[in-house]
Amino acid sequence: MGVDEAEVPVDAVGKRVSCGGERATVRYFGPVSPTAGLWLGVEWDNPDRGKHDGSHEGVQYFTCRQPTGGSFVRPAKVSFGVDYLTAVRQAYKIDSEEVLSEEISISKKKLKWGNIKERGFESLPSVLLSRSDVSWSGADGEIRTTTPNVEWLDLSGTLLSCWEDVATISQQLDRLGGLQLSYNRLRLPPDPSALRHAFSALKVLVLNGCQLTWPQILDCAPMWPQLEDLCVEENSITELQRPEGRLQSLKSLSLSSNPLVQDSVLSLSALPRLEQLNLSKTGLSVIRFEDAAPGSHTAMYAALKNLNLDHNNITEWFVVDELAKLPSLVRLSCRGNKLVSRDGNPKTANQMLIAKLGQLVVLNGCEIHADDRRGAELDYMKMFGEEWLKAGGRSQPSPQFICEHPRYQALISKYGAPEDGELRKPEPFALKNQLLKVTFVFPDDANRKPLEKKLPASMVVQKVKGLLYRLLKVPAADLRLTYTSPKVAHSVKAAAHTRSPVFLCLCLHVQSEHATVG
């Protein structure tokens, strides 16, 4: 595994090595007094693996990011890695002689192998070398002839030291469209544009956990002229500068698990083709589009369709109203935040999200069906109906109400103004507050007065019939129920089977109901 002192590369400092299953970067090569021989001073990727900051007995031989990130190791303990094709053969080669020597027994009969042709690597569409010891390309031209059809290459967690080393591999893979380089420590090139040819066809690039800052990513961007999908999670990205003239072909960007400066997020609106943005676990609490009034569309992020804000610090509903300004947003993931409705019910909070975001098609990975949207919007109207009235709703709501509920007037245009009997004050989430008042009328019996009952919203038709049997002494099989509501233009027949979804869904979306019993 290790090397002799004489075999240590002349340019060892900056090289990547493996030692005892851990990855490190060489920061020093030479003597360490008062010991004999030569040592490698390394900075570990995992700082818990080290013992010091690069000093020994008061002498600073090298520096580390972390106070315990360094160690001195003998060259015989480390590996400087292998070339690309050696790693491919180690990962994919089948030893045909070993296979031929094995016996096959079927029903106690011994069979012999026929002629086996060793499989080549020419047809491989992808090469996965994650955590391998790849550190350089090997002989010039061999990669192009040995693995010419590779479209996806995984070199995450390898011993590659710099972008020039990556380029000597990728420039021999003419079809390379996707490259995974996560958990590497790559030195930045002095002139990124000079490596442009090596990544000319690259569409997808993953650089998670590479200790990169946003300015460094922008500096490297000229290397990737056709890049459409960039994933840079778990890096050292804080403030986002505007990518002027950089990454202009980008359609998808993931910045998850970076401690972002939230005021700088709007800088990404300079990416004109950006359709998908992942800002989960970035500490965001506020986002504002001050170029647009409540209820109108912002000029920023014109192409953005899919936004992930999971596990952030969003607590205010005005942030959702700001998201409604995004003209193309149809998919939102907002799990793990603290957006709470007045009744404290998570389902109500989801309904508010749906009602406030009129263009949304998918919320938290679930498709929003027409019935879901209708129910959420009607409930939202009832939930804030009293505030709407107090704000002058029947004539013109106050500017404050419009600011807090930008879609309310649009919902009135869609469904009509809420009726007085439908308005309800916000109440805590409790069983008694989930009861619906249902009025039973009897069109075939003029002498019988209407009957009012408060029933749980989840009560199914069969149990309603059982209740009516006890009250009216009429067998359940002889009962025919139809359902009307101010928001439904026609009567709906309640199905006779035990768990009718018709009654359940419609009851959930109205306050005062009428059931006709015949």
Side-chain angles (χ1 to χ4, degrees):
M1 169 186 168
V3 297
D4 295 331
E5 291 181 1
E7 296 175 340
V8 174
V10 176
D11 58 347
V13 174
K15 293 286 187 182
R16 300 278 289 161
V17 294
S18 65
C19 179
E22 298 279 356
R23 299 294 201 246
T25 302
V26 177
R27 300 299 184 196
Y28 171 79
F29 176 54
V32 177
S33 180
T35 64
L38 300 177
W39 295 83
L40 291 168
V42 300
E43 181 180 8
W44 301 99
D45 290 3
N46 176 13
D48 295 335
R49 174 68 173 79
K51 297 180 179 180
H52 50 71
D53 63 352
S55 62
H56 180 68
E57 294 189 357
V59 179
Q60 192 79 44
Y61 291 90
F62 62 97
T63 59
C64 299
R65 289 171 176 259
Q66 302 295 330
T68 60
S71 295
F72 290 105
V73 295
R74 293 293 191 183
K77 296 287 187 180
V78 306
S79 168
F80 281 88
V82 298
D83 65 88
Y84 168 85
L85 288 178
T86 297
V88 170
R89 293 186 180 101
Q90 290 173 348
Y92 290 91
K93 187 177 180 181
I94 298 175
D95 189 333
S96 56
E97 292 184 3
E98 181 179 344
V99 172
L100 289 171
S101 67
E102 294 179 354
E103 291 183 345
I104 304 174
S105 297
I106 300 178
S107 299
K108 297 183 179 180
K109 293 182 178 179
K110 292 185 178 181
L111 305 180
K112 292 184 178 181
W113 287 100
N115 293 329
I116 294 179
K117 184 178 180 180
E118 187 173 342
R119 187 186 73 174
F121 304 121
E122 293 83 0
S123 61
L124 287 176
S126 61
V127 170
L128 308 180
L129 299 176
S130 175
R131 295 295 296 176
S132 71
D133 283 354
V134 176
S135 60
W136 75 94
S137 60
D140 187 37
E142 285 192 359
I143 293 176
R144 177 173 278 109
T145 58
T146 308
T147 58
N149 294 306
V150 172
E151 299 175 13
W152 174 261
L153 177 59
D154 185 348
L155 293 172
S156 55
T158 63
L159 299 184
L160 291 164
S161 302
C162 59
W163 277 97
E164 288 86 351
D165 291 339
V166 180
T168 58
I169 296 173
S170 62
Q171 69 186 3
Q172 300 182 59
L173 300 172
D174 297 331
R175 298 189 179 187
L176 187 65
L179 182 57
Q180 163 67 278
L181 290 172
S182 296
Y183 308 109
N184 284 299
R185 301 290 182 267
L186 299 173
R187 290 195 308 277
L188 304 184
D191 182 11
S193 298
L195 302 180
R196 181 187 180 99
H197 67 283
F199 306 100
S200 59
L202 197 65
K203 301 288 186 182
V204 181
L205 178 61
V206 185
L207 291 168
N208 297 338
C210 292
Q211 297 184 349
L212 292 169
T213 65
W214 187 244
Q216 289 174 333
I217 292 169
L218 294 183
D219 286 344
C220 290
M223 284 193 290
W224 320 309
Q226 303 297 324
L227 196 63
E228 296 182 356
D229 189 330
L230 176 61
C231 190
V232 285
E233 301 178 3
E234 301 177 38
N235 276 285
S236 303
I237 301 170
T238 53
E239 187 168 1
L240 298 166
Q241 291 76 24
R242 287 178 66 83
E244 301 289 358
R246 309 287 173 95
L247 302 174
Q248 295 299 289
S249 59
L250 208 62
K251 294 182 179 180
S252 178
L253 174 62
S254 180
L255 293 163
S256 179
S257 303
N258 284 288
L260 298 183
V261 175
Q262 63 185 9
D263 291 342
S264 68
V265 169
L266 296 183
S267 299
L268 298 177
S269 63
L271 300 172
R273 301 180 64 190
L274 191 64
E275 297 179 2
Q276 183 169 323
L277 179 59
N278 185 349
L279 297 175
S280 62
K281 300 180 182 178
T282 56
L284 289 182
S285 60
V286 175
I287 186 169
R288 294 182 187 272
F289 303 106
E290 295 184 350
D291 67 318
S296 60
H297 285 157
T298 176
M300 302 180 186
Y301 294 106
L304 189 62
K305 299 177 181 179
N306 190 334
L307 179 60
N308 188 333
L309 295 174
D310 287 347
H311 306 293
N312 278 302
N313 300 321
I314 299 172
T315 61
E316 301 293 337
W317 283 100
F318 81 82
V319 177
V320 179
D321 296 326
E322 291 294 312
L323 297 178
K325 296 179 180 180
L326 293 167
S328 303
L329 185 66
V330 292
R331 290 173 173 264
L332 174 68
S333 192
C334 200
R335 290 168 288 205
N337 286 281
K338 295 182 180 179
L339 286 167
V340 182
S341 61
R342 291 177 176 177
D343 63 6
N345 186 351
K347 292 183 179 179
T348 304
N350 276 349
Q351 285 187 315
M352 289 180 63
L353 282 166
I354 294 171
K356 282 178 170 287
L357 299 169
Q359 297 181 142
L360 215 59
V361 174
V362 176
L363 174 62
N364 296 335
C366 298
E367 183 179 354
I368 302 170
H369 298 287
D371 288 345
D372 299 328
R373 175 161 291 285
R374 178 184 177 86
E377 292 175 343
L378 289 173
D379 272 0
Y380 179 79
M381 291 178 66
K382 287 180 269 182
M383 190 181 309
F384 296 99
E386 284 199 357
E387 292 181 24
W388 172 74
L389 283 176
K390 291 178 181 178
R394 296 205 183 278
S395 54
Q396 177 62 42
S398 67
Q400 181 180 350
F401 182 86
I402 293 175
C403 184
E404 294 177 358
H405 305 280
R407 279 205 78 217
Y408 205 90
Q409 291 300 106
L411 295 178
I412 287 177
S413 300
K414 184 176 181 179
Y415 297 108
E419 300 179 7
D420 292 343
E422 295 178 306
L423 302 180
R424 66 173 186 263
K425 295 180 180 179
E427 296 175 314
F429 180 67
L431 179 59
K432 67 178 182 178
N433 297 326
Q434 308 308 307
L435 299 178
L436 303 176
K437 185 173 75 173
V438 179
T439 303
F440 295 95
V441 295
F442 308 88
D444 296 337
D445 187 350
N447 296 323
R448 190 182 292 275
K449 295 181 180 180
L451 179 66
E452 288 189 356
K453 286 290 180 182
K454 287 188 176 182
L455 305 178
S458 59
M459 195 171 189
V460 295
V461 171
Q462 193 63 27
K463 289 191 176 182
V464 174
K465 287 190 171 185
L467 172 66
L468 292 174
Y469 166 71
R470 292 192 296 273
L471 294 173
L472 307 177
K473 306 304 180 186
V474 177
D478 296 336
L479 289 173
R480 291 183 296 108
L481 300 180
T482 57
Y483 161 80
T484 60
S485 165
K487 296 297 180 184
V488 179
H490 59 280
S491 296
V492 179
K493 182 178 179 181
H497 54 78
T498 302
R499 296 192 177 275
S500 167
V502 175
F503 183 82
L504 175 61
C505 294
L506 292 175
C507 279
L508 283 173
H509 300 318
V510 289
Q511 179 68 20
S512 299
E513 313 299 342
H514 293 78
T516 302
V517 183

